Amino acid sequence: MEVLRPQLVKIGGRVYRKNPIQEQTYQHEEEDDDYYQGLMECAEEPCETYEVVQTPQGFRCTVKAPSLLYKHIVGKRGDTRKKLEVETKTSISIPKPGQEGEIVITGQHRSGVISARTRIDVLLLTFRRKQPFTHFLSFFLNEAEVQERFLKFQEEVLEKCSMDHGVDSSIFQNPKKLHLTIGMLVLLSEQEIQQTCEMLQQCKEEFIDDISGGKPLEVEMAGIEYMNDDPGMMDVLYAKVHMKDGSNRLQELVDRVLERFQASGLIVKEWNSVKLHATVMNTLFRKDPNAEGRYNLYTADGKYIFKERESFDGRNILKLFENFYFGTLKLNSIHISQRFTVDSFGNYASCGQIDFS
């Protein structure tokens, strides 16, 4: 992290800086104390947009949060909560582990309640970002024709390029799981899944229907490209996806969905645009057929996993299959796909969807 360019955290329409501290992945609750000290430096200015209710005893404010994140507000032996209460002169009530509910902040002074709320939001956002992704917004690209053509691609690559370093059947995508990812999500409760469904429905009503015309988008999956700079040492090879009529409607649609979800905080902003692609070969599959690209790097407690990868030489694949045609698809639904799950068709299980027609 650059000293002159600290990370910014957006909360309640205000932007706060996260001052440089020693970065460590969250592994044990014992780290709460030191982590709290660093995080609170970015919450110096309270946010005035919170709803604070005046009561006969003083002031009250509530915070909605999934139960999985409560422990980060409590801290080891309750130390984090105690520090928050002492420094903001408030009382903070947190539901018991496993129980969904609201965090309740009460205090004699409105400014103290707002300060506590701001600090809690910073903690929640920071530790949420350390959670592994649970879901993703996607189009399914596993129509029968495309699956058949993909298997043909795999067969021909193995027939003509199996002597190239690192090329074998283990690094090919499961054809039933071919998909186009719009954005990755961390959904930690049923309420957050429902919120995502509602956000998708809003997108449909506000702009998706206009872009799609209330009809499926007809696209082609054709041509291949690679992710890294050296074609002789590839880790990911993907197929390109584009509108059959040559328009940019698909790109416009997914970019606007991404923008809306980023603005809501449901998707962390990493890119301004979605790369229209479907992974067809990935070296992470070599040791773990269920691996999911760069998003499979953290355990549930935020511990980084180092996955050693054996790259493959893709130069001949590019030369021989640069314009390989995988087929035509009609995209009619955006799904909330759940990672590490399989439905009855062998694809990722869907927790919700919107249809264009």
Side-chain angles (χ1 to χ4, degrees):
M1 179 188 300
E2 284 205 33
V3 174
L4 298 180
R5 293 184 178 181
Q7 180 181 344
L8 300 180
V9 181
K10 186 176 181 180
I11 298 174
R14 301 282 294 274
V15 177
Y16 302 90
R17 69 180 184 276
K18 178 181 174 184
N19 289 339
I21 59 175
Q22 184 177 2
E23 292 287 345
Q24 290 182 311
T25 55
Y26 187 85
Q27 299 181 33
H28 306 289
E29 289 189 356
E30 297 90 271
E31 297 175 2
D32 273 347
D33 295 347
D34 294 337
Y35 209 88
Y36 169 85
Q37 294 288 0
L39 287 177
M40 289 311 99
E41 294 181 13
C42 74
E44 296 167 352
E45 299 179 18
C47 178
E48 298 290 341
T49 61
Y50 298 132
E51 182 178 348
V52 179
V53 179
Q54 188 166 7
T55 68
Q57 292 77 33
F59 295 88
R60 182 177 184 271
C61 184
T62 60
V63 186
K64 291 183 179 180
S67 60
L68 283 173
L69 298 181
Y70 291 163
K71 64 181 181 182
H72 302 303
I73 309 302
V74 175
K76 182 186 177 184
R77 298 185 301 274
D79 288 347
T80 300
R81 174 168 56 183
K82 291 174 186 175
K83 286 184 179 180
L84 279 169
E85 290 177 330
V86 169
E87 293 175 4
T88 61
K89 295 180 174 61
T90 60
S91 176
I92 301 171
S93 174
I94 302 174
K96 295 180 180 179
Q99 294 183 355
E100 296 295 338
E102 293 183 327
I103 298 172
V104 180
I105 308 165
T106 56
Q108 294 294 318
H109 304 285
R110 186 174 187 275
S111 59
V113 171
I114 292 176
S115 177
R117 170 64 192 269
T118 302
R119 296 178 182 213
I120 287 174
D121 277 352
V122 170
L123 285 167
L124 290 172
L125 180 60
T126 300
F127 285 106
R128 172 181 287 277
R129 288 183 175 180
K130 288 180 172 290
Q131 301 300 310
F133 292 113
T134 59
H135 300 73
F136 57 97
L137 299 178
S138 71
F139 287 105
F140 292 167
L141 304 177
N142 59 350
E143 291 186 13
E145 175 197 355
V146 173
Q147 288 196 49
E148 290 175 8
R149 291 291 298 164
F150 173 85
L151 290 173
K152 181 66 173 175
F153 169 76
Q154 178 175 335
E155 178 186 345
E156 292 186 6
V157 167
L158 292 175
E159 178 184 331
K160 299 176 181 179
C161 306
S162 60
M163 298 302 292
D164 295 341
H165 176 76
V167 176
D168 62 53
S169 61
S170 68
I171 62 175
F172 286 86
Q173 173 68 283
N174 179 341
K176 295 178 181 179
K177 289 189 171 183
L178 288 167
H179 65 277
L180 188 161
T181 299
I182 299 173
M184 303 300 297
L185 298 158
V186 175
L187 305 179
L188 302 178
S189 66
E190 288 298 323
Q191 290 83 355
E192 292 187 350
I193 293 175
Q194 182 60 36
Q195 182 185 356
T196 303
C197 292
E198 293 170 358
M199 181 71 68
L200 265 184
Q201 183 61 37
Q202 291 174 13
C203 290
K204 172 179 167 60
E205 295 170 0
E206 294 178 18
F207 58 84
I208 288 178
D209 284 344
D210 288 339
I211 297 173
S212 68
K215 300 177 181 179
L217 297 180
E218 193 166 1
V219 304
E220 288 183 330
M221 186 168 153
I224 56 174
E225 287 186 354
Y226 58 102
M227 287 292 189
N228 52 310
D229 295 330
D230 187 352
M233 295 185 65
M234 287 189 193
D235 283 317
V236 177
L237 184 75
Y238 61 88
K240 295 180 284 187
V241 180
H242 58 267
M243 287 292 298
K244 190 173 182 180
D245 62 10
S247 71
N248 70 338
R249 286 190 297 152
L250 177 60
Q251 188 71 65
E252 179 187 358
L253 188 152
V254 296
D255 284 350
R256 290 188 65 177
V257 170
L258 178 68
E259 181 182 15
R260 178 61 60 85
F261 273 79
Q262 288 175 338
S264 73
L266 285 169
I267 291 179
V268 176
K269 186 169 184 178
E270 294 182 276
W271 300 280
N272 294 322
S273 182
V274 177
K275 191 173 187 66
L276 301 178
H277 75 285
T279 297
V280 294
M281 297 173 71
N282 189 331
T283 56
L284 284 180
F285 299 153
R286 196 186 304 280
K287 293 183 178 180
D288 181 3
N290 295 314
E292 296 172 7
R294 71 182 191 87
Y295 302 110
N296 194 33
L297 298 176
Y298 292 90
T299 62
D301 62 359
K303 184 178 180 181
Y304 181 80
I305 304 172
F306 175 73
K307 285 186 173 289
E308 186 177 352
R309 305 172 71 154
E310 179 191 350
S311 300
F312 66 94
D313 186 345
R315 288 173 292 185
N316 284 329
I317 298 176
L318 284 175
K319 187 184 302 182
L320 296 171
F321 302 96
E322 181 181 5
N323 298 309
F324 189 89
Y325 182 75
F326 291 91
T328 301
L329 307 101
K330 291 185 177 180
L331 305 183
N332 193 45
S333 305
I334 296 177
H335 294 266
I336 304 169
S337 299
Q338 185 174 355
R339 298 182 70 209
F340 309 118
T341 61
V342 179
D343 64 15
S344 58
F345 300 101
N347 198 357
Y348 293 100
S350 178
C351 299
Q353 67 183 73
I354 57 162
D355 299 322
F356 299 170
S357 64

